[in-house]
Structures are given as structure tokens and as C-alpha cells.
Amino acid sequence: APWRTGVRPGPEGRGVHRRGRKGSGRGAWNGRAPMGDTVFAALLQHIAGVEGEQGKMKTQALLNVCREFLPVVDKLGTGFTPVRMDINGNIERLNKRYEASPEKYSDLFTILEEEVGQNCHTDNSSCT
């Protein structure tokens, strides 16, 4: 972490030591995090495909993003197991609805609109 190394971001993303010297060696921070093969890089790739026609969210693409996010929650430790289980349950519930009729539920708004119209959006088994 840059705040622990005595280096803070300087102009143009170059690391600057607290004493004002430019850092380029150990502890220098260039202001940019490497993306490479990180889980965040995969998330960003999937997020790019979530928006569909007329700004509606594609259900399958959103499910892919949510599934890619689960390893991030796993890395937070066992204290986040209930959070992971809740997220995964929501993913499975939404996926089950989507698989019932992929063409009908190709965008998330259709699912939400249907549940609100049937007044079941507050039920525990709801996707909303």
C-alpha cells in the first residue's frame, strides 16, 4: 500500500517521497494498479456487456458479472460467508427465472416489471 511505504502519488502518476524526492525504486508508486489477469479485469470485461438495447440490463450478462464477483467475496474471509451465500442465492434465484424463459427474460427489467405487476416483489422468493 502506498501510504505505508512513505510514497504518495505525485504529478503525472509518478511516486513522490514524503521528503519531496521522486521515487522510482522500492516503494515507488506510479498511481496505477496493474490489471493483468485479476478478477477485476474479468469483472470489467463482463460489465461492458451488461447494457443492452435502450439501456436495459441483459440478464445473462449481469449474472456473469455477479458470478465473477463471488471470488472477491471469498477473499474477504469466513466472516463474509453469509454475504457470499446471500449473493449466491440471489444469483441462483435470478438464474432460475431466466432459464424458465430466456427470450422473455432477456433483460432484467422484464423480470422486475412482472413481479411488481403481480405484487410479489416483496416475497422472499422474489428476484427484486
Side-chain angles (χ1 to χ4, degrees):
W3 56 90
R4 292 185 185 156
T5 62
V7 177
R8 61 179 168 76
E12 299 174 15
R14 287 178 266 164
V16 177
H17 286 277
R18 287 187 184 147
R19 295 186 189 115
R21 296 180 306 215
K22 292 182 180 178
S24 59
R26 183 174 177 229
W29 184 57
N30 68 1
R32 288 174 254 143
M35 289 303 284
D37 293 330
T38 67
V39 69
F40 296 109
L43 280 171
L44 289 174
Q45 288 175 349
H46 287 295
I47 286 173
V50 170
E51 188 174 344
E53 295 177 20
Q54 301 171 356
K56 294 182 179 179
M57 295 176 77
K58 297 180 192 175
T59 305
Q60 186 63 49
L62 177 66
L63 289 169
N64 290 339
V65 170
C66 294
R67 286 185 187 109
E68 291 288 336
F69 182 71
L70 288 175
V72 174
V73 179
D74 288 339
K75 294 290 184 185
L76 297 175
T78 57
F80 281 83
T81 300
V83 174
R84 188 199 194 286
M85 290 173 55
D86 185 41
I87 293 170
N88 193 50
N90 293 336
I91 292 169
E92 293 304 317
R93 189 176 313 135
L94 187 56
N95 190 55
K96 185 176 180 180
R97 177 71 60 89
Y98 171 76
E99 287 180 348
S101 182
E103 288 182 20
K104 179 180 179 181
Y105 299 128
S106 64
D107 67 80
L108 185 64
F109 185 73
T110 305
I111 296 171
L112 304 178
E113 190 175 49
E114 185 176 280
E115 286 191 356
V116 171
Q118 295 174 354
N119 200 28
C120 65
H121 60 283
T122 58
D123 295 346
N124 286 340
S125 61
S126 161
C127 293
T128 54

